[in-house]
Amino acid sequence: MDIYVVKEGDTIDAIASAYRTTPEEISYANQIPYPYRLAVGQALLLESGTSLRTGRSAVANGYAYPYISPWVLRQTLPYLTGMFVFSYGFTVEGELLSPVPSDAWMLETAAEFGRDSILTLTPLGPDGRFSNNLIHGMLENEEGKERLMEELLAEMRRSSFSGVDVDFEYILAEDRDLFTGFVAELTRRMNAEGYRVSVALAPKTSADQPGLLYEGKDYRGLGEAANEVLLMTYEWGYKYGPPMAVAPLNKVRQVVEYALTEIPPEKILLGVPNYGYDWILPFVRGESQAVTIGHVEAVQIAINNGVPIQYDETAQSPFFLYERDGVMHEVWFEDVRSLERKYDLIREFGLRGMGVWQIMRLFRAMWLLYEDVFEIS
């Protein structure tokens, strides 16, 4: 595959002719609707006849809610190693709570494609937010911990899940070792019956990094306890923060380099965001709230407002500004250029692969490029 950046005056027909392909093939790979309008600065993935594949395999996992479009799931599953169902909850007493709506159809569809399904366990409270009180209560309750592990094993046995992903965030510093012990014991029990355990890690750059998001996560301990880990290398630019790249490459690299001092590369999955944000300017902390958008949608916003897409060389991320109804907006998202740089990190450091948050929107070029670089395992 080749990556081509649209210039002033380009048309899809002219690009197709230059690359000996067709407008329909370009449209399919890049999800460009008829009449094939383009934005200056838009990055296109083009079939060149030459693969970038190095011969090495890599994992490609993706998170999905049970209300994902069946069409989107079917379009994405061929490129996945594992589908992570988000999410199962629990009570302090260890009762396992199934997602609503039911995920049964997702497991059936994944099995139809021969793909793994993984149960994602989260401490989400009634308000939909991560609750460190719930985490603390369960970890301190020996009977609750025991019941939760038994109910997870029972769910494995009666369903087609192949493993558990533990996604606990905002763990209290005082619960750090208890959490690591919980993951270690869960992994021991799951592995004994042929199931795997992964754990999501906040993007730390040092062992003693301060902050509620980081202090409860012991990279070395969790790397030893679980079968694999996911580095949540996204959300530098986030809904309530100032406009910036969601996953700037310079920041992502720092997290990977630290993680490799604590965890073997073959256990590490790189987190990759499948979303961007649209901020209203000026940003006002405590008041501003960005709108979550998809990467295909971001390009259409640029086209509809007649603005070029720019590219930040430090963050290795695309962005643009536009004005609507007298209000300025700033948009950051991912394209095949920024994704290629992230895939380069997987190759450079020999990581296990990537985990995508989340696959609710289809970004076909993401998967076509990954498949061009790696043999998906």
Side-chain angles (χ1 to χ4, degrees):
M1 312 291 285
D2 279 334
I3 294 175
Y4 178 81
V5 180
V6 176
K7 301 186 296 293
E8 188 74 45
D10 276 343
T11 66
I12 197 169
D13 292 283
I15 296 170
S17 176
Y19 280 81
R20 298 182 181 179
T21 184
T22 66
E24 291 76 19
E25 288 175 331
I26 296 175
S27 169
Y28 176 78
N30 298 280
Q31 295 169 263
I32 303 172
Y34 185 81
Y36 305 144
R37 295 185 301 158
L38 302 173
V40 173
Q42 176 182 357
L44 301 176
L45 188 65
L46 305 176
E47 182 71 49
S48 68
T50 302
S51 174
L52 300 172
R53 187 172 293 169
T54 59
R56 66 153 292 193
S57 62
V59 166
N61 293 333
Y63 289 86
Y65 292 89
Y67 51 85
I68 186 174
S69 156
W71 180 82
V72 170
L73 184 59
R74 286 182 167 274
Q75 289 289 307
T76 307
L77 277 169
Y79 304 104
L80 290 182
T81 304
M83 174 193 68
F84 284 49
V85 178
F86 198 89
S87 68
Y88 280 68
F90 60 91
T91 66
V92 171
E93 294 76 25
E95 178 187 4
L96 185 65
L97 305 175
S98 300
V100 177
S102 171
D103 60 345
W105 74 272
M106 298 174 68
L107 274 64
E108 292 172 1
T109 306
E112 178 185 334
F113 281 82
R115 297 299 184 261
D116 290 338
S117 294
I118 295 87
L119 182 157
T120 302
L121 183 71
T122 63
L124 295 177
D127 60 356
R129 296 171 180 257
F130 286 90
S131 170
N132 49 31
N133 289 326
L134 177 57
I135 298 170
H136 179 77
M138 183 274 291
L139 293 176
E140 289 282 344
N141 184 341
E142 291 300 325
E143 291 182 359
K145 275 195 295 189
E146 181 65 27
R147 179 182 178 186
L148 180 56
M149 291 188 202
E150 286 302 319
E151 292 205 4
L152 283 167
L153 277 167
E155 186 65 34
M156 296 292 109
R157 295 169 187 140
R158 69 170 160 259
S159 70
S160 57
F161 284 118
S162 60
V164 176
D165 176 55
V166 182
D167 185 1
F168 286 18
E169 300 181 29
Y170 304 105
I171 301 166
L172 298 173
E174 65 192 86
D175 291 332
R176 167 181 159 138
D177 293 341
L178 282 175
F179 175 65
T180 301
F182 169 76
V183 172
E185 179 60 17
L186 179 64
T187 302
R188 185 188 69 77
R189 296 190 189 193
M190 286 287 169
N191 288 178
E193 297 197 24
Y195 307 112
R196 292 177 61 83
V197 173
S198 60
V199 61
L201 300 180
K204 296 175 67 168
T205 55
S206 66
D208 56 355
Q209 186 168 342
L212 184 57
L213 190 61
Y214 313 107
E215 292 173 358
K217 292 286 178 75
D218 176 1
Y219 265 43
R220 182 176 295 274
L222 291 169
E224 293 173 352
N227 298 119
E228 63 186 35
V229 304
L230 170 71
L231 303 180
M232 295 188 287
T233 39
Y234 36 75
E235 287 291 273
W236 276 271
Y238 67 105
K239 179 170 286 195
Y240 304 105
M244 66 177 294
V246 174
L249 191 73
N250 54 327
K251 301 294 187 183
V252 172
R253 175 178 282 274
Q254 289 174 3
V255 175
V256 173
E257 289 176 343
Y258 164 64
L260 288 168
T261 67
E262 307 279 13
I263 306 167
E266 62 271 16
K267 278 194 170 188
I268 298 175
L269 295 172
L270 184 72
V272 175
N274 184 29
Y275 63 93
Y277 285 119
D278 183 335
W279 284 269
I280 289 177
L281 301 178
F283 170 79
V284 180
R285 188 168 295 280
E287 297 181 17
S288 296
Q289 181 174 325
V291 175
T292 306
I293 58 174
H295 306 318
V296 176
E297 181 184 357
V299 173
Q300 290 304 307
I301 291 172
I303 292 171
N304 291 337
N305 289 279
V307 297
I309 294 171
Q310 303 176 65
Y311 196 76
D312 186 287
E313 293 295 338
T314 300
Q316 288 290 308
S317 295
F319 71 100
F320 60 88
L321 300 168
Y322 73 97
E323 183 178 352
R324 179 186 293 166
D325 300 327
V327 178
M328 288 300 300
H329 293 246
E330 185 169 342
V331 173
W332 288 84
F333 64 108
E334 301 284 336
D335 65 12
V336 286
R337 290 171 294 181
S338 63
L339 289 170
E340 186 178 41
R341 298 284 78 79
K342 292 174 175 60
Y343 299 168
D344 285 345
L345 287 181
I346 296 172
R347 289 195 294 186
E348 177 184 347
F349 294 111
L351 305 184
R352 181 171 175 78
M354 74 170 175
V356 176
W357 178 263
Q358 27 65 10
I359 61 170
M360 302 300 286
R361 296 177 176 89
L362 177 65
F363 186 35
R364 185 176 288 116
M366 163 188 280
W367 304 107
L368 291 174
L369 179 60
Y370 195 79
E371 186 181 51
D372 194 53
V373 176
F374 302 108
E375 190 77 44
I376 297 176
S377 61

